[in-house]
Amino acid sequence: MQHKIINQGQCTVLHITEDRFDARLAPEFRNKLAELSPNIDMHLVLDLSQVRFMDSSGLGAVMAAYKMLRGKKMSVVNPQRAVKELLKLTRMDQLISCYENVDDAIAVNA
Amino acid sequence: MLQMKDILLVDDNLAMLWVWEQTLLKRGYNIMTARDGLEALTILQDNPQIQFVLSDWMMPNMNGIELCTKLKSVEYKRYIFFVLLSGKNDQPSIVEGINAGADDFFVKSANIDEVDARVKAGFRTLALHNEIVEKNNRLDSAYATIKKDLESAGELVKRLLPTKRKFTGVELSYVSIPSAQIGGDMLGYMQLDEEHVAFYLFDVAGHGVSSALMSFSIQQSITANSDKGELLKTVIPHPPYYKITPPHEVIKQLNSIYLTNEQSLLYFTMAYSVLNVKTGKLSFSVAGHPPLVWLHNKSGTAEFIGQDSFVVGAFDFVEYKTSHIQLEHGDKIWMYSDGLTEAEYGMKQFSEEGLKNAVIDFRHHPTSTQTELLVDRVRDWQQSVQFNDDVSVLAVEWTGYSKGKHTCNTKLSTKVNAQFFT
């Protein structure tokens, strides 16, 4: 899984630099999250701006991440239309806030 | 594995042959001899256990290089460790030998301990090779077994699909295609009582064995009868002693049965619906699943009817809702899994719009053929017969209810009711 991690104070930004977030990517994403989550202070920001397609396994991985965070905030930055629609269809947009850019997401904790 | 000790010596010089034979026999090897390359080939054919060949260079009929080339060619299906005998520092010959595929070179005048050490090294290579081949064979046979198991599992799963295509007032057709031998999609329908037909479609996240097993289990939960009654019918204390469980309740119960912990990525999306075949009143609930398509028979238009709602089996706090619509005679309801609309061609997807158009285009065909027509259209569009995800689609037409046709199949409900009356 191609990705970048940036720690910004209370926020951890995980930028997924892949265009498909699918069954192939999901296990790796989950392992990465299991490794990251104890060190996430308050807020996980998932930058999905490059993800063009997310399938049910990808969505499952995002839901698992949400559960793994145990109440810490999780948000998504700039999802493409298909991803945004999937989050809305499954009401995950009620649990995960959506921001236009990383700065807006981080500003929540400032 | 058997201890490998067989060596084939090839030399036209009888004296040399004898010297090498005696030397190697003393070191405990089994030796066979040939006078030239052609004879060597015959002996190898008659003795399939031989994998080590020690050959001279210059020989009549077929020389050492020709023999080596033959034994190392792709057509020769046996792995042979091939050693050429050469004079000391015969550089050009060694290069030619390497090009022909020889594995080692023994100098004719070499010391016996060195020869023995090199022969042992050759047999070590052979042992490694044979071990890998054997492991590969075991893997191949394990794979064949798994594949066969999956195929029979796939057949079993197919048997869970409904066989009936018509109930009084309703006509149905469906297609369900797993992307591999077994998949996570499942659909079904059944008569709940004289007036109600339930139909549903669900899609377990991912595909493969764990998704298929979960899908199998969900199908059982939906259709099972127990002492407490059924999921789809709730027991009540007064006649008729049951009531049809509203769609959102069905899904909510499934959610609590299949609630997983954070370790698991398994969940499913679902559309569940109950149609009153007398009145055309349809109630439905959708959980994280694509919307239904409602084809209006009279106007020849179609619309999506969906609900934004959580998936099933992921969260314990969720609620689902039931919506109601009134069908007209000839109206159709389509349910499908996203494998259909997300079929890809290049960067494009077949899309919900593509589906809606197809539903409208096919509306005059018999309902029994429409789902097949749709799947064929998607296959043509993506220019491939194979789908990357499980694909399932179900079409239900409300044909309406006339008084003359009172031959309902009440088998499913009478069985349960009988239990309640006792």
Side-chain angles (χ1 to χ4, degrees):
Chain A
M1 180 178 76
Q2 300 288 321
H3 67 280
K4 286 180 218 152
I5 298 166
I6 308 152
N7 282 303
Q8 291 237 359
Q10 295 173 313
C11 289
T12 302
V13 182
L14 176 57
H15 187 179
I16 309 291
T17 49
E18 300 246 9
D19 72 333
R20 295 178 71 90
F21 195 154
D22 55 15
R24 188 184 55 83
L25 215 66
E28 256 185 283
F29 175 83
R30 222 171 69 105
N31 292 341
K32 187 91 241 166
L33 248 291
E35 175 196 320
L36 275 180
S37 63
N39 300 319
I40 294 171
D41 190 13
M42 295 276 283
H43 185 182
L44 172 70
V45 178
L46 211 52
D47 188 339
L48 295 179
S49 48
Q50 267 162 271
V51 176
R52 183 176 64 80
F53 174 74
M54 182 185 280
D55 73 351
S56 59
S57 302
L59 179 70
V62 171
M63 293 194 297
Y66 175 83
K67 290 195 211 174
M68 233 184 272
L69 288 172
R70 296 177 184 280
K72 290 174 197 168
K73 188 174 163 64
M74 179 168 170
S75 58
V76 165
V77 161
N78 196 25
Q80 293 190 23
R81 198 175 64 102
V83 175
K84 203 171 183 172
E85 280 175 1
L86 183 65
L87 293 175
K88 181 172 176 292
L89 178 73
T90 57
R91 288 185 91 178
M92 287 307 290
D93 60 348
Q94 297 205 336
L95 306 179
I96 302 173
S97 329
C98 181
Y99 298 98
E100 281 190 15
N101 54 57
V102 174
D103 289 343
D104 283 3
I106 292 173
V108 178
N109 291 84
Chain B
M1 200 182 288
L2 281 171
Q3 181 80 27
M4 292 183 295
K5 282 184 172 298
D6 295 288
I7 298 175
L8 176 61
L9 285 175
V10 195
D11 201 330
D12 58 330
N13 182 329
L14 281 178
M16 280 302 288
L17 206 55
W18 187 82
V19 170
W20 278 96
E21 187 178 5
Q22 293 310 309
T23 313
L24 290 167
L25 277 173
K26 270 184 212 152
R27 296 285 167 140
Y29 297 102
N30 305 329
I31 305 300
M32 301 201 80
T33 56
R35 302 286 302 275
D36 59 50
L38 283 183
E39 198 189 341
L41 286 177
T42 314
I43 291 175
L44 283 172
Q45 199 175 0
D46 295 343
N47 299 274
Q49 84 283 5
I50 301 177
Q51 285 191 282
F52 198 116
V53 175
L54 182 54
S55 173
D56 189 22
W57 204 281
M58 301 305 292
M59 292 178 293
N61 298 325
M62 180 187 276
N63 69 26
I65 288 287
E66 287 163 349
L67 175 63
C68 181
T69 309
K70 182 108 186 158
L71 295 181
K72 292 294 184 179
S73 70
V74 187
E75 295 84 55
Y76 201 82
K77 298 289 180 199
R78 183 149 128 215
Y79 187 69
I80 300 282
F81 193 86
F82 196 93
V83 179
L84 269 173
L85 288 168
S86 64
K88 217 176 181 181
N89 294 327
D90 188 0
Q91 284 289 342
S93 312
I94 289 179
V95 170
E96 198 186 342
I98 290 175
N99 285 335
D103 296 291
D104 201 358
F105 300 89
F106 290 4
V107 179
K108 280 183 183 170
S109 55
N111 161 287
I112 172 64
D113 286 332
E114 183 191 332
V115 166
D116 193 18
R118 282 172 176 264
V119 168
K120 283 197 176 103
F123 275 120
R124 279 202 300 275
T125 304
L126 280 171
L128 261 180
H129 169 89
N130 292 349
E131 196 184 323
I132 289 170
V133 167
E134 200 193 324
K135 272 188 184 158
N136 242 334
N137 288 342
R138 283 210 298 268
L139 273 180
D140 281 350
S141 87
Y143 176 74
T145 309
I146 292 170
K147 198 167 166 242
K148 221 176 127 208
D149 277 354
L150 282 177
E151 272 159 16
S152 34
E155 284 305 312
L156 268 177
V157 170
K158 260 188 219 159
R159 273 191 246 163
L160 291 181
L161 292 165
T163 47
K164 220 176 143 149
R165 300 295 172 120
K166 240 180 206 176
F167 296 95
T168 308
V170 183
E171 209 177 316
L172 308 102
S173 83
Y174 69 85
V175 174
S176 184
I177 309 163
S179 61
Q181 285 96 340
I182 49 175
D185 277 13
M186 184 54 74
L187 56 84
Y189 44 80
M190 66 202 67
Q191 191 144 25
L192 297 177
D193 62 15
E194 280 193 28
E195 290 182 16
H196 297 95
V197 169
F199 53 96
Y200 57 90
L201 189 150
F202 61 83
D203 176 358
V204 180
H207 21 252
V209 177
S210 52
S211 304
L213 279 177
M214 184 164 174
S215 151
F216 194 93
S217 172
I218 298 163
Q219 182 80 331
Q220 296 295 347
S221 302
I222 294 173
T223 52
N225 293 320
S226 73
D227 292 343
K228 289 182 219 154
E230 298 165 79
L231 191 64
L232 309 187
K233 285 189 199 173
T234 314
V235 181
I236 52 170
H238 48 81
Y241 302 105
Y242 72 89
K243 79 176 174 65
I244 306 286
T245 316
H248 69 277
E249 276 295 328
V250 170
I251 291 182
K252 196 180 171 184
Q253 287 187 45
L254 287 172
N255 186 55
S256 57
I257 297 172
Y258 289 98
L259 203 56
T260 54
N261 58 20
E262 65 189 53
Q263 296 310 313
S264 171
L265 297 177
L266 281 181
Y267 66 89
F268 59 102
T269 68
M270 183 174 195
Y272 177 81
S273 182
V274 176
L275 173 66
N276 184 316
V277 294
K278 272 188 180 166
T279 63
K281 219 180 139 188
L282 182 100
S283 53
F284 66 93
S285 184
V286 180
H289 199 81
L292 316 184
V293 188
W294 179 7
L295 177 89
H296 299 276
N297 181 42
K298 249 188 210 156
S299 60
T301 56
E303 65 178 301
F304 287 105
I305 44 171
Q307 294 165 351
D308 292 341
S309 174
F310 286 102
V311 302
V312 192
F315 303 106
D316 56 1
F317 53 81
V318 299
E319 292 289 336
Y320 301 95
K321 57 181 183 282
T322 293
S323 305
H324 303 273
I325 56 171
Q326 176 63 53
L327 300 187
E328 301 293 327
H329 285 195
D331 280 7
K332 290 188 195 82
I333 297 294
W334 289 69
M335 288 177 176
Y336 59 95
S337 64
D338 54 12
L340 190 87
T341 45
E342 286 172 3
E344 286 185 333
Y345 180 65
M347 295 285 276
K348 281 190 184 152
Q349 293 193 337
F350 186 72
S351 81
E352 294 188 344
E353 207 50 39
L355 168 69
K356 191 169 127 179
N357 293 336
V359 164
I360 295 171
D361 292 347
F362 298 144
R363 70 186 187 280
H364 295 304
H365 290 267
T367 299
S368 57
T369 64
Q370 290 194 10
T371 44
E372 285 283 353
L373 285 172
L374 172 65
V375 171
D376 286 346
R377 176 180 279 200
V378 181
R379 281 181 165 143
D380 286 347
W381 179 85
Q382 67 176 8
Q383 299 190 11
S384 161
V385 176
Q386 180 70 27
F387 290 100
N388 293 326
D389 192 2
D390 303 334
V391 164
S392 41
V393 55
L394 169 68
V396 182
E397 180 187 359
W398 184 49
T399 51
Y401 197 90
S402 60
K403 275 193 175 162
K405 289 195 212 162
H406 240 291
T407 48
C408 259
N409 175 10
T410 51
K411 215 172 96 194
L412 270 160
S413 52
T414 46
K415 190 173 155 197
V416 181
N417 292 345
Q419 231 168 24
F420 296 156
F421 284 120
T422 52

